[in-house]
Amino acid sequence: MNQKIKVAVIGVGNCFSALYQGIHYYSGQTEQVSGISHLDIGGYYPSDIEIVAALDVDRRKVGKPVSQAIFSLPNCARVFFSGPFNGHGDPIVQMGSVLDGVSDYMLEQPEHQGFRLSDEPTVDIVKLLKESQAQILLNYLPVGSVEATEFYAEQAIQAGVSFVNNIPVLSLNHPRWEKRFIDANLPYIGSDIKSQFGASILSQTLQELAFSRGMQVDYHQQLNVGGNCDFLNMQVQSRLKHKKVSKENVIRAQNDIRGIPVNADALFAGPSTFIPYLKDNKVAYFNLKLRGFGDAPIELDCKLSVQDSENSAGVVIDAIRFLQVAREMGIIGCLRGPSSFTQKSPPKQLCYEDSIFECMALARREFTKHTRRQLTQLDALAFAWEEYNSGGMDYLRLIGE
């Protein structure tokens, strides 16, 4: 494509650092390379992404160009591209709205790990989005930022900008919220990033594999530890309501799709603890207890170690392009296929194979049974409520929706 996809971002943290480095790292690639799931999405390549606006609230980032802010504390993501940062935008980081985005706990942490609020005045978000000509807004706020996420989603709608909700604020999946995007004729993706080869996609595919091979899954455990500020922030238990539901929903949904009940205490998934030494290295431990032929017991123990932020960026670089193609095709509401492929908790979970099918159709600019229902406001809203009422979205009740 000759034109760029204009992207704004909320939260210049580790995940955005990896994404921004990656846009430059893969710039100019026109043949399939390692690390990219979909090189060409509807004619858009990673090099077609331009960052036009950025928001943060940390005084060490506000007022700096993005290319400098991504290397400011408390960021600890691996540096795999150090410059030059040319051709993909390098806006000055503006002061965003704090709301519930920063906990007192994070303000009390050491300089190299915690947050330090800027005293700069908050910018007019809608004005910034319009003046920068942003088409897509990425949400990278800390886990637990429910009020702030809903605020920024509303600002995006007012500015006519699509939204990628990379954090677990699951209320945006409800038809009441989807209606706001539909009424504005906007597509969006949500919620809670499902990394390229991370704990959630591994848990999902292990659960699918077990069922496809005739297994009974009696127990599925996924424990996660890490040393970045995301894991530090998640030490505040009150911020984890949506996160815990989202992590377990990845697994539970595979039971729901097949009509298999989930027994009490049969699954556990979520952040376990913060280990500073690990920095941006995330380590997940899995334990599955299965029953096979003749009720024979089967047990699986495995460990996964990844660079957390690059793992996240590997799917966001696709989500941006899927969303832009959907905008151009006139699709409105929450994108089912890309949300299932890139997020832990889409409105309604799909099997992995079905999410791939939806994404590949969008990459070819073809409609599916889902996207055909999302071309008019009337049809899109009816589709959203039909899915909600047909079941499989019980996780919304767990967060009080």
Side-chain angles (χ1 to χ4, degrees):
M1 286 284 180
N2 291 325
Q3 63 186 31
K4 296 280 191 180
I5 305 173
K6 297 183 183 299
V7 176
V9 60
I10 316 154
V12 185
N14 287 308
C15 289
F16 177 67
S17 174
L19 175 65
Y20 189 70
Q21 291 181 61
I23 292 168
H24 292 81
Y25 182 83
Y26 288 107
S27 182
Q29 292 287 351
T30 56
E31 295 184 3
Q32 193 64 45
V33 291
S34 64
I36 295 289
S37 302
H38 304 91
L39 187 63
D40 179 356
I41 296 177
Y44 286 108
Y45 293 80
S47 56
D48 293 319
I49 298 171
E50 179 183 5
I51 306 302
V52 297
L55 294 151
D56 206 283
V57 297
D58 195 298
R59 66 185 181 219
R60 295 163 294 185
K61 298 174 182 177
V62 174
K64 290 182 179 179
V66 160
S67 60
Q68 296 177 23
I70 60 171
F71 300 125
S72 299
L73 292 174
N75 290 8
C76 62
R78 191 174 68 94
V79 177
F80 60 94
F81 186 90
S82 57
F85 293 100
N86 298 323
H88 301 285
D90 194 9
I92 301 297
V93 179
Q94 305 293 318
M95 180 64 184
S97 298
V98 179
L99 301 172
D100 61 350
V102 177
S103 68
D104 290 341
Y105 177 79
M106 289 301 290
L107 295 175
E108 296 164 356
Q109 299 309 302
E111 181 81 11
H112 67 289
Q113 294 173 334
F115 299 145
R116 299 293 182 265
L117 287 180
S118 170
D119 57 7
E120 291 291 320
T122 302
V123 299
D124 184 322
I125 310 298
V126 173
K127 182 180 178 182
L128 175 68
L129 293 174
K130 286 183 175 180
E131 289 184 348
S132 67
Q133 299 183 322
Q135 297 162 304
I136 293 169
L137 178 60
L138 304 179
N139 180 24
Y140 277 128
L141 288 169
V143 167
S145 305
V146 177
E147 181 187 2
T149 293
E150 293 182 346
F151 166 78
Y152 277 111
E154 184 58 43
Q155 299 298 292
I157 290 169
Q158 290 183 30
V161 173
S162 293
F163 197 70
V164 182
N165 184 31
N166 291 315
I167 77 164
V169 176
L170 307 185
S171 50
L172 264 63
N173 293 0
H174 196 284
R176 287 193 298 269
W177 254 106
E178 186 168 1
K179 181 179 185 299
R180 300 186 194 189
F181 285 93
I182 290 170
D183 288 346
N185 291 313
L186 291 170
Y188 71 106
I189 287 175
S191 296
D192 193 14
I193 195 71
K194 181 163 61 180
S195 292
Q196 192 171 25
F197 198 93
S200 292
I201 189 61
L202 186 53
S203 271
Q204 175 184 334
T205 52
L206 284 172
Q207 196 84 346
E208 288 194 51
L209 176 64
F211 290 145
S212 71
R213 305 294 285 185
M215 301 292 110
Q216 169 70 38
V217 182
D218 290 330
Y219 180 65
H220 190 140
Q221 170 189 289
Q222 180 205 119
L223 303 176
N224 300 273
V225 298
N228 57 27
C229 54
D230 181 37
F231 275 88
L232 182 58
N233 173 64
M234 289 190 291
Q235 295 305 291
V236 184
Q237 293 299 304
S238 61
R239 299 182 71 86
L240 296 184
K241 181 178 180 181
H242 288 235
K243 184 68 173 180
K244 180 85 168 119
V245 170
S246 181
K247 291 285 284 184
E248 293 187 349
N249 182 52
V250 176
I251 307 167
R252 185 186 302 275
Q254 297 308 315
N255 289 63
D256 294 342
I257 288 170
R258 296 163 178 80
I260 301 172
V262 180
N263 296 328
D265 303 323
L267 64 88
F268 179 93
S272 179
T273 195
F274 169 68
I275 302 176
Y277 175 80
L278 291 175
K279 298 192 184 309
D280 203 40
N281 179 203
K282 173 181 173 181
V283 183
Y285 299 91
F286 305 82
N287 176 256
L288 278 73
K289 299 185 189 300
L290 316 174
R291 281 181 286 130
F293 190 79
D295 255 1
I298 300 170
E299 184 167 1
L300 171 68
D301 275 300
C302 61
K303 167 188 167 183
L304 174 69
S305 177
V306 300
Q307 290 298 308
D308 200 16
S309 299
E310 287 106 309
N311 216 11
S312 160
V315 292
V316 176
I317 206 166
D318 286 356
I320 291 167
R321 294 176 292 149
F322 283 129
L323 198 47
Q324 181 61 21
V325 171
R327 286 170 62 92
E328 294 171 4
M329 292 174 65
I331 301 168
I332 57 178
C334 193
L335 301 181
R336 267 47 183 184
S339 290
S340 186
F341 183 75
T342 69
Q343 310 290 319
K344 296 181 185 70
S345 290
K348 194 167 184 178
Q349 189 67 262
L350 301 176
C351 293
Y352 183 65
E353 183 179 357
D354 292 337
S355 71
I356 290 288
F357 173 82
E358 290 287 325
C359 287
M360 294 309 296
L362 196 57
R364 295 189 299 268
R365 296 179 177 263
E366 297 173 356
F367 293 102
T368 67
K369 66 177 183 180
H370 288 117
T371 53
R372 285 193 190 95
R373 296 291 310 276
Q374 296 180 286
L375 296 175
T376 68
Q377 292 180 350
L378 189 63
D379 282 349
L381 186 58
F383 174 55
W385 279 109
E386 283 171 20
E387 282 212 326
Y388 180 80
N389 292 325
S390 67
M393 296 175 68
D394 290 345
Y395 67 90
L396 290 175
R397 296 183 179 89
L398 296 177
I399 61 166
E401 289 291 330

